[in-house]
Amino acid sequence: DADVTQTPRNRITKTGKRIMLECSQTKGHDRMYWYRQDPGLGLRLIYYSFDVKDINKGEISDGYSVSRQAQAKFSLSLESAIPNQTALYFCATGTPGGRELFFGEGSRLTVL
Amino acid sequence: GENVEQHPSTLSVQEGDSAVIKCTYSDSASNYFPWYKQELGKGPQLIIDIRSNVGEKKDQRIAVTLNKTAKHFSLHITETQPEDSAVYFCAAPISGGGADGLTFGKGTHLIIQP
């Protein structure tokens, strides 16, 4: 089984719909991250969390929210999806100090 | 915050030749520079990293060099093989020691021609 699991792997939705992407991990890491990948733009940080009570905005947090339900679970929500949120989303965990990130296999979201 | 620039965006080399990918960073306080490899349909995976107290690090066919004065670092892959075909990302800490995550370059699509 994968150390970092993302669900769903693929999702097509319509503008205005609420979407939740879920992430769970078995690495035992406190640090968890959500990144977005777009062609030609690399990976950009949306939100990150150091523990259940800690949530921090990243570079591109507008239009997104997150919830850290437990040490092992970190979900990303789009309250009202729009087409320019069409992208590949990655959840990652980080070693103490955040030096190494372990990524899930990604969730591809298409907003029509 | 840190800004990382990566070049080229696409690199095509003959199998067996060497490949070099270059990155520059903006924050002179950055002290950790990892490289990630992303294979098709998968998430990025760390392949090598370097800390600012060394100038070069090697692991079999891959090596990373760091020039702190010029604020650039490079990935070198020798004797390229088909399995080296992937997208490669350089990265640096968003701030401080990196606990709040990494900022990534835009990626290099490396194509190994048979």
Side-chain angles (χ1 to χ4, degrees):
Chain A
D1 290 340
D3 293 325
V4 182
T5 303
Q6 293 183 230
T7 56
R9 293 293 312 279
N10 288 282
R11 181 72 184 269
I12 300 173
T13 191
K14 294 182 179 180
T15 297
K17 294 293 186 181
R18 184 179 188 274
I19 295 297
M20 179 180 286
L21 305 179
E22 299 188 13
C23 177
S24 63
Q25 54 114 344
T26 58
K27 305 262 327 155
H29 292 156
D30 289 325
R31 290 173 170 79
M32 296 189 74
Y33 306 83
W34 275 104
Y35 279 88
R36 167 178 172 162
Q37 184 177 17
D38 297 276
L41 295 181
L43 295 151
R44 293 180 292 166
L45 183 62
I46 307 172
Y47 270 97
Y48 61 100
S49 168
F50 288 171
D51 63 39
V52 174
K53 300 178 182 178
D54 178 77
I55 299 292
N56 303 279
K57 291 183 178 181
E59 178 188 359
I60 54 164
S61 59
D62 287 350
Y64 302 95
S65 63
V66 291
S67 174
R68 186 79 184 268
Q69 303 94 323
Q71 188 214 32
K73 296 184 181 296
F74 192 36
S75 59
L76 176 71
S77 294
L78 289 68
E79 296 302 323
S80 179
I82 57 177
N84 75 1
Q85 291 177 314
T86 292
L88 184 56
Y89 291 85
F90 284 101
C91 174
T93 70
T95 53
R99 290 295 175 108
E100 181 173 0
L101 300 184
F102 295 84
F103 287 85
E105 297 202 324
S107 295
R108 185 170 296 281
L109 176 66
T110 302
V111 183
L112 302 177
Chain B
E2 178 64 274
N3 182 49
V4 177
E5 299 283 341
Q6 182 173 348
H7 300 279
S9 57
T10 303
L11 178 60
S12 181
V13 301
Q14 290 294 126
E15 182 178 347
D17 288 349
S18 296
V20 181
I21 303 170
K22 299 181 180 181
C23 288
T24 60
Y25 60 98
S26 61
D27 188 351
S28 56
S30 288
N31 58 6
Y32 173 69
F33 306 95
W35 286 88
Y36 283 75
K37 176 183 181 182
Q38 184 181 26
E39 297 178 343
L40 193 63
K42 297 189 176 182
Q45 184 173 13
L46 178 70
I47 56 171
I48 195 168
D49 58 27
I50 191 167
R51 283 160 173 73
S52 59
N53 58 344
V54 298
E56 182 174 3
K57 182 177 179 181
K58 191 173 182 179
D59 182 4
Q60 298 182 27
R61 295 187 298 107
I62 61 173
V64 57
T65 59
L66 171 65
N67 182 326
K68 289 179 60 179
T69 302
K71 289 191 285 187
H72 67 70
F73 57 110
S74 299
L75 177 71
H76 304 254
I77 306 174
T78 59
E79 301 174 13
T80 53
Q81 300 172 4
E83 55 264 36
D84 295 328
S85 292
V87 178
Y88 292 81
F89 294 97
C90 61
I94 289 177
S95 65
D100 49 354
L102 299 172
T103 187
F104 288 84
K106 294 182 179 180
T108 296
H109 185 194
L110 176 62
I111 301 166
I112 307 301
Q113 302 280 6

